[in-house]
Amino acid sequence: MATSCSYSMPFPVSCSIKRKPLISDSFGYLRVTLASAFTPILRGLHQAHLQFDVSKTIRYTTVKLLDAFVDSVYEFSDHPLLPSQSNLAPVDELGEAMLVTSLIGKIPDDFSQGIYIRNGPNPLFGGLKSTKSIFGRSSHIWVEGEGMLHALYFKKESDGSWTVVYNNRHVETETYKLEKQRNKPSFLPAIEGDSPAILLAYLLNLLRFGKVNKYISNTNVFEHSGKYYSVAENHIPQEIDILTLKTLRNWDVSGAWNRPFTSHPKRAPGTGELVIMGTDATKPFLEVGIVSADGKKLVHKVDLKLNRGSLCHDLGVTERYTVIIDFPLTIDINRLLKGGPLIKYDKEGYARIGIMPRYGDADSVQWFQVEPNCTFHIINSFEDADEVVLWGCRALDSLIPGTDLGVNIFKCFSHCYEWRLNMKTGDVKERNLTGTEFSMDFPVINGNFTGLKNKYGYTQVVNSTVSSSSGIPNFGGLAKLYFEEQHMEFPSGNKPHKELIKVEYHMFEKNVFCTGSTFVSKEKGVDEDDGWILTFVHNENTSISQVYIIDTKMFSSEPVATISLPRRVPYGFHGAFMPISL
């Protein structure tokens, strides 16, 4: 007995799935069947929105039949959370802003009025989902989940006192609205799992929703030309009302950008232009763009003509160049069709860094081969005589899509690293900037020095013991990096480590972890490090979430202010401070 299906579409789709091989778990047979049926579709999944050439009635009926199929065949379940992952559980929206009344210490008089905002996953309907069906298993990975903004508003009153208000709100992407309206899990996870299950998840999501996966918008928040955006790199950004956290609209740069958008756009030094990029699973794999300083126009766009879908999470800028990292963490639909993982870190694959003149094209990129590695975050990049210098947080393996028993998780934790790329000779010099005692990631600097030579940087410090059991990074402290000062410890003999830089630490109590750290400059600061680090922290012993304000001139001292929040804030990703008069 066979089940057959066909849909009235602008391309033919038909499948015949025999029960016997499914019951006997013959996934090789199923993979070949699905691959031959879906290959023409999958090759175009990430192109422009597909238009169904059917009447509304037929489309509605088809979606209903497909929904019934999903409901009868697929079993959704929540990812189980380990004790060390309890603060990954989602929270509800507040509905309205709440006055913060619990504060230890004092908000400095010269602190800036504004908004400290952090993005992060807050999955709908209980948590990240896995599905089980006759086609196999598919699941979300730990970086997925609908985005939720958490914001702290700092207002200085006429008498010099401070009013602090907290609010949270989901980023209401198109797919958030679709699933929220249905009031149940509807999109099938399509990242990790058995290849037949992922392939069919792609197809069923496409046929029911016109999209292959959810737009999560959970990674970062940035400002350009007085407007504010939430972003994750599987879709274009969403403009938000920074005062209410309401989602306003998608931002496609006046219709000129219709592909994924980096979570880490960079403002070019001197011009105010915004340098962006978008990576994809099909050609063109990576495009770079430049948005005008007023945010109204895409003034440059170029396909770098990569031959693989490299998951570039960050980019760098200097005064004249754009810096591209093409490292061997890849997304590959053809690999999936052959039964392999959709996302994979290839330890034997090539790694290279590209330096492109700001308005260059693919032929103008100068590529430098470097040691294979996985780097998600750039600390800074700048020009130094004939060299372009790149600082980043470098690991030897990847935490995405996730770790398994065959992976040494300590290789997935990153350390601060330097590449010096000589534009005249083509030579590359690489070195560790910090020792191996602590792993570090999620770097920030004084934003006035983006693309320029800087003296200081700040990172979150990985608690390796807790992280090795949870499988994701738990940050148990902060570090201040002194790029122009030497590490002065003497582990052997009487000579300092000439290759290592000075690092100062601000470590938290046991079972206290942070996310979303950012640097806030003093309004009348003179030095590059005149300012504060703000970070969301969570105490897993008390389940209390707070915000610390740490004076970067007294980095290892107690926070100058500790603000207890009225609600728990789950762990998330990147934070930002928006100086605004409230």
Side-chain angles (χ1 to χ4, degrees):
M1 179 179 178
T3 300
S4 63
C5 53
S6 63
Y7 310 104
S8 177
M9 304 283 287
F11 43 77
V13 182
S14 62
C15 57
S16 179
I17 304 171
K18 298 180 180 179
R19 289 187 180 277
K20 186 176 179 180
L22 290 177
I23 294 174
S24 63
D25 266 343
S26 180
F27 283 114
Y29 168 87
L30 181 58
R31 181 173 64 247
V32 172
T33 303
L34 292 175
S36 62
F38 301 159
T39 297
I41 304 167
L42 290 169
R43 286 174 179 166
L45 287 180
H46 297 272
Q47 304 301 320
H49 295 295
L50 297 175
Q51 299 296 321
F52 298 116
D53 187 23
V54 292
S55 69
K56 289 183 179 180
T57 302
I58 295 176
R59 189 183 310 171
Y60 175 81
T61 303
T62 301
V63 170
K64 285 295 183 182
L65 289 172
L66 290 170
D67 283 344
F69 173 77
V70 170
D71 290 342
S72 63
V73 171
Y74 286 87
E75 177 185 342
F76 283 85
S77 61
D78 288 344
H79 283 204
L81 292 177
L82 300 170
S84 59
Q85 298 173 328
S86 60
N87 195 42
L88 296 177
V91 295
D92 294 331
E93 290 183 337
L94 288 178
E96 61 181 11
M98 297 182 67
L99 182 68
V100 174
T101 58
S102 178
L103 186 148
I104 299 173
K106 183 178 182 294
I107 298 174
D109 292 335
D110 52 353
F111 192 74
S112 298
Q113 286 197 100
I115 302 165
Y116 174 38
I117 187 167
R118 201 220 66 198
N119 210 337
N122 199 78
L124 287 171
F125 313 122
L128 294 174
K129 297 292 185 280
S130 295
T131 60
K132 184 171 62 175
S133 72
I134 57 176
F135 308 106
R137 177 190 64 87
S138 71
S139 63
H140 290 130
I141 61 175
W142 65 277
V143 296
E144 294 185 272
E146 284 76 12
M148 177 175 274
L149 304 174
H150 300 267
L152 217 57
Y153 298 80
F154 293 88
K155 181 180 180 181
K156 193 170 188 179
E157 306 294 349
S158 57
D159 62 0
S161 64
W162 288 90
T163 297
V164 182
V165 171
Y166 166 75
N167 200 4
N168 70 357
R169 191 162 182 170
H170 267 116
V171 184
E172 296 187 356
T173 64
E174 301 160 54
T175 59
Y176 169 90
K177 293 176 182 177
L178 278 170
E179 207 161 35
K180 188 74 171 176
Q181 185 178 22
R182 288 168 167 246
N183 199 31
K184 66 176 183 179
S186 300
F187 277 84
L188 296 171
I191 296 294
E192 189 176 30
D194 299 309
S195 58
I198 297 174
L199 288 167
L200 196 56
Y202 268 117
L203 182 65
L204 288 169
N205 288 342
L206 177 68
L207 294 176
R208 292 187 298 150
F209 306 115
K211 299 163 179 55
V212 299
N213 211 339
K214 293 196 282 190
Y215 302 147
I216 50 181
S217 197
N218 69 7
T219 307
N220 202 1
V221 180
F222 68 94
E223 176 270 337
H224 186 59
S225 188
K227 294 185 177 181
Y228 304 88
Y229 304 94
S230 172
V231 67
E233 55 224 33
N234 72 334
H235 189 40
I236 58 178
Q238 284 68 53
E239 184 183 348
I240 59 171
D241 183 327
I242 197 69
L243 298 178
T244 65
L245 304 185
K246 180 181 178 182
T247 305
L248 300 177
R249 61 187 67 84
N250 289 337
W251 187 47
D252 59 6
V253 196
S254 302
W257 192 266
N258 61 351
R259 58 181 290 112
F261 190 108
T262 179
S263 293
H264 294 284
K266 294 291 196 307
R267 188 167 287 116
T271 69
E273 295 171 324
L274 192 70
V275 182
I276 64 176
M277 70 176 182
T279 62
D280 217 331
T282 57
K283 289 185 177 181
F285 291 117
L286 190 151
E287 290 187 337
V288 174
I290 301 175
V291 181
S292 59
D294 62 9
K296 295 179 180 180
K297 186 178 180 181
L298 187 70
V299 295
H300 187 61
K301 183 178 181 181
V302 59
D303 173 11
L304 292 194
K305 299 181 181 179
L306 267 61
N307 61 5
R308 65 181 180 183
S310 180
L311 287 179
C312 308
H313 179 68
D314 203 349
L315 60 81
V317 293
T318 71
E319 291 181 278
R320 293 181 293 167
Y321 301 112
T322 297
V323 182
I324 304 295
I325 50 178
D326 178 17
F327 292 165
L329 177 64
T330 60
I331 181 168
D332 189 337
I333 287 179
N334 288 326
R335 183 171 58 215
L336 180 69
L337 288 167
K338 296 174 183 177
L342 179 64
I343 297 174
K344 180 183 178 182
Y345 176 68
D346 183 3
K347 302 178 183 64
E348 307 302 321
Y350 67 86
R352 60 182 187 168
I353 298 171
I355 309 298
M356 183 181 78
R358 180 80 71 238
Y359 279 81
D361 58 18
D363 294 332
S364 70
V365 180
Q366 186 170 346
W367 291 104
F368 296 82
Q369 300 295 320
V370 298
E371 294 295 322
N373 72 93
C374 185
T375 296
F376 288 110
H377 296 119
I378 291 171
I379 302 170
N380 198 21
S381 51
F382 56 90
E383 298 167 40
D384 185 11
D386 293 335
E387 294 179 321
V388 171
V389 181
L390 177 65
W391 292 329
C393 296
R394 173 187 182 267
L396 297 178
D397 213 319
S398 175
L399 282 168
I400 294 175
T403 58
D404 55 42
L405 295 178
V407 172
N408 179 353
I409 193 171
F410 293 99
K411 288 186 176 182
C412 300
F413 300 145
S414 56
H415 299 85
C416 297
Y417 201 77
E418 178 184 83
W419 296 269
R420 300 188 75 96
L421 314 169
N422 193 302
M423 299 295 291
K424 282 192 174 181
T425 67
D427 291 340
V428 178
K429 296 178 183 177
E430 303 185 36
R431 67 168 178 138
N432 286 303
L433 291 174
T434 57
T436 58
E437 180 182 6
F438 292 111
S439 301
M440 306 177 195
D441 210 333
F442 284 75
V444 295
I445 64 171
N446 182 329
N448 294 323
F449 289 82
T450 298
L452 306 173
K453 185 173 176 57
N454 58 310
K455 296 180 181 179
Y456 307 102
Y458 309 88
T459 68
Q460 298 174 180
V461 178
V462 176
N463 182 316
S464 298
T465 302
V466 174
S467 301
S468 62
S469 62
S470 68
I472 61 173
N474 294 80
F475 297 100
L478 300 165
K480 180 179 181 180
L481 310 174
Y482 293 76
F483 293 111
E484 295 187 350
E485 296 187 40
Q486 189 175 330
H487 179 74
M488 294 303 294
E489 293 184 8
F490 300 84
S492 60
N494 294 316
K495 295 182 179 180
H497 265 278
K498 292 184 179 180
E499 291 297 311
L500 302 182
I501 63 172
K502 176 183 173 180
V503 182
E504 185 178 3
Y505 294 99
H506 183 109
M507 303 305 291
F508 308 140
E509 297 177 7
K510 185 178 180 180
N511 293 329
V512 176
F513 305 104
C514 74
T515 57
S517 304
T518 194
F519 179 86
V520 181
S521 296
K522 290 185 178 179
E523 288 184 338
K524 298 180 180 179
V526 176
D527 297 329
E528 179 188 330
D529 63 340
D530 276 338
W532 301 271
I533 289 291
L534 269 63
T535 189
F536 281 89
V537 299
H538 182 75
N539 187 318
E540 296 197 348
N541 296 326
T542 63
S543 198
I544 294 175
S545 296
Q546 299 175 312
V547 166
Y548 288 177
I549 301 178
I550 299 166
D551 191 327
T552 50
K553 289 283 193 179
M554 301 181 294
F555 191 74
S556 45
S557 301
E558 291 295 313
V560 296
T562 299
I563 303 166
S564 294
L565 303 176
R567 291 291 186 273
R568 179 175 65 87
V569 176
Y571 298 132
F573 300 132
H574 296 282
F577 188 86
M578 311 299 184
I580 300 173
S581 296
L582 299 172

